[in-house]
Amino acid sequence: MKYFELVTTKNVVSAATGAGAIFLLGKTIMAGIKSPPYNPEPLTLAKLAIEHQSQTVLDSGELRGLLNTLNPKLDDYSKNMLLHGITRCVYLLDNEEFFPKVLEMVASIWDHDLHAAGLRLLNGLPLSDHTFPLVKKLMPAFMEILQMGNTMCQVQVLKFLGTLAQKEALLFDIMNCQVHPDFLHLFQPSRPGNLLFELLVFVERLCEGRLTPQYQSVSWQYNESSLHEVLFGDDSRLADRLLSLIIHPEEEVQIQACRVILKLQLNEEGEMAFLHNYDSTFFSDSKIGSSLIKSGC
């Protein structure tokens, strides 16, 4: 009798419950490799096991219990085990069950291990439009992690912010988020290369967002201490920071710094061209407008 003839739905469910979906997946793949040509889609069995374990997690309230148990005062080993369990549960469940919960947990508990693990999890899940209002509300917390967290947390939050920056509906909220006066200290050449690279990717995506006609068609009003003013305002010292990174010892940082400088130049040219076209169209039919255009204003 062939191996797969012995594998019934009941056996699969028992194996998934006892050993876990990951172990069963490995066994199924190995059986598929070793078995004769007859092959009734072994991956379907693994999918059934994962779906069963997912439903078991949902029914048992395991994830809710883990979230309630998590506390910054726990020792490192206990905390890491809880974070691992939370990650496993979220991946097994529909990722829209608890995505907002993870967002709130990362934003409300100040703990570097939690930030790194939670953000790594968020970076591996798709971002749904219905979470945008919550993301906007929690934006200051993510920006605070970027400025005050350790390197591991900063790298993960930059990846997350880089994803958010590609969403047109979130771009202004990122730009208008208040930052510390010394925000540009993040661009110091002495900082780790992976941090600088992710930081430059984030800034490049902000530049790309500013270049879109949809974003340029609105006259946005930014707070004085906003990220936009620090990076792109008239008094910004970002250009000086970028020049110091062109000679960074890591090549990927050099290349990314050059990309940002190019995008900044395109931003400046795009803004000037847009303003010129807007002014010409808006004022062309009025006497005041004609006088301003003729005078070179």
Side-chain angles (χ1 to χ4, degrees):
M1 182 179 295
K2 295 183 176 63
Y3 175 80
F4 284 108
E5 295 176 7
L6 298 174
V7 180
T8 64
T9 301
K10 182 178 179 180
N11 291 337
V12 169
V13 169
S14 299
T17 304
I22 296 177
F23 174 76
L24 179 62
L25 178 59
K27 291 284 289 184
T28 305
I29 294 175
M30 290 304 297
I33 295 174
K34 296 179 180 179
S35 64
Y38 173 68
N39 185 359
E41 299 183 358
L43 289 180
T44 303
L45 301 175
K47 181 180 180 181
L48 173 63
I50 292 175
E51 289 176 350
H52 172 76
Q53 185 168 349
S54 173
Q55 190 61 40
T56 301
V57 170
L58 182 60
D59 293 342
S60 67
E62 178 183 354
L63 178 57
R64 192 175 304 278
L66 290 172
L67 291 171
N68 291 334
T69 305
L70 190 60
N71 190 308
K73 296 181 180 180
L74 292 172
D75 61 88
D76 290 344
Y77 176 78
S78 300
K79 189 162 48 180
N80 288 336
M81 291 300 294
L82 281 172
L83 292 173
H84 175 76
I86 290 171
T87 301
R88 180 184 65 84
C89 288
V90 172
Y91 273 114
L92 286 174
L93 292 170
D94 180 350
N95 54 50
E96 298 181 4
E97 297 281 353
F98 285 92
F99 191 95
K101 183 67 176 180
V102 177
L103 274 174
E104 292 179 333
M105 185 173 62
V106 170
S108 60
I109 301 177
W110 190 262
D111 180 84
H112 293 326
D113 291 335
L114 172 61
H115 290 166
L119 287 163
R120 188 179 292 112
L121 174 60
L122 294 174
N123 286 329
L125 297 174
L127 184 66
S128 302
D129 292 355
H130 75 272
T131 63
F132 286 3
L134 180 59
V135 170
K136 292 180 180 182
K137 177 183 176 182
L138 300 178
M139 195 70 72
F142 299 131
M143 204 62 67
E144 191 68 14
I145 294 174
L146 171 58
Q147 297 170 98
M148 301 301 293
N150 60 23
T151 299
M152 186 181 301
C153 299
Q154 290 173 321
V155 169
Q156 292 300 321
V157 79
L158 279 169
K159 290 181 178 181
F160 185 61
L161 289 172
T163 300
L164 301 184
Q166 294 177 301
K167 306 295 182 180
E168 183 181 341
L170 298 175
L171 187 58
F172 173 73
D173 297 273
I174 298 174
M175 295 277 206
N176 200 41
C177 196
Q178 189 167 352
V179 296
H180 299 174
D182 61 351
F183 181 86
L184 291 181
H185 287 182
L186 289 171
F187 292 82
Q188 290 177 349
S190 60
R191 294 188 180 272
N194 61 335
L195 171 60
L196 291 172
F197 176 77
E198 295 296 342
L199 183 60
L200 291 168
V201 170
F202 173 51
V203 175
E204 181 186 14
R205 290 178 179 175
L206 293 178
C207 290
E208 291 172 344
R210 295 176 71 227
L211 278 172
T212 61
Q214 295 87 345
Y215 197 80
Q216 291 189 354
S217 64
V218 179
S219 179
W220 303 103
Q221 300 296 318
Y222 304 98
N223 295 323
E224 291 184 3
S225 301
S226 67
L227 178 65
H228 178 275
E229 293 305 294
V230 171
L231 294 179
F232 310 116
D234 294 337
D235 298 326
S236 174
R237 307 295 297 175
L238 177 61
D240 296 336
R241 301 290 183 174
L242 294 174
L243 289 175
S244 68
L245 295 180
I246 291 180
I247 57 174
H248 192 273
E250 297 188 29
E251 184 178 4
E252 67 173 5
V253 175
Q254 298 176 19
I255 294 174
Q256 193 60 37
C258 292
R259 290 173 62 91
V260 174
I261 291 173
L262 177 61
K263 292 294 172 62
L264 287 174
Q265 181 64 30
L266 292 175
N267 275 174
E268 184 177 346
E269 293 174 355
E271 287 177 354
M272 294 300 294
F274 175 79
L275 289 174
H276 176 74
N277 293 336
Y278 178 81
D279 290 345
S280 298
T281 302
F282 183 78
F283 291 119
S284 59
D285 295 330
S286 67
K287 293 182 178 179
I288 296 177
S290 299
S291 299
L292 289 173
I293 294 174
K294 289 178 181 179
S295 64
C297 296

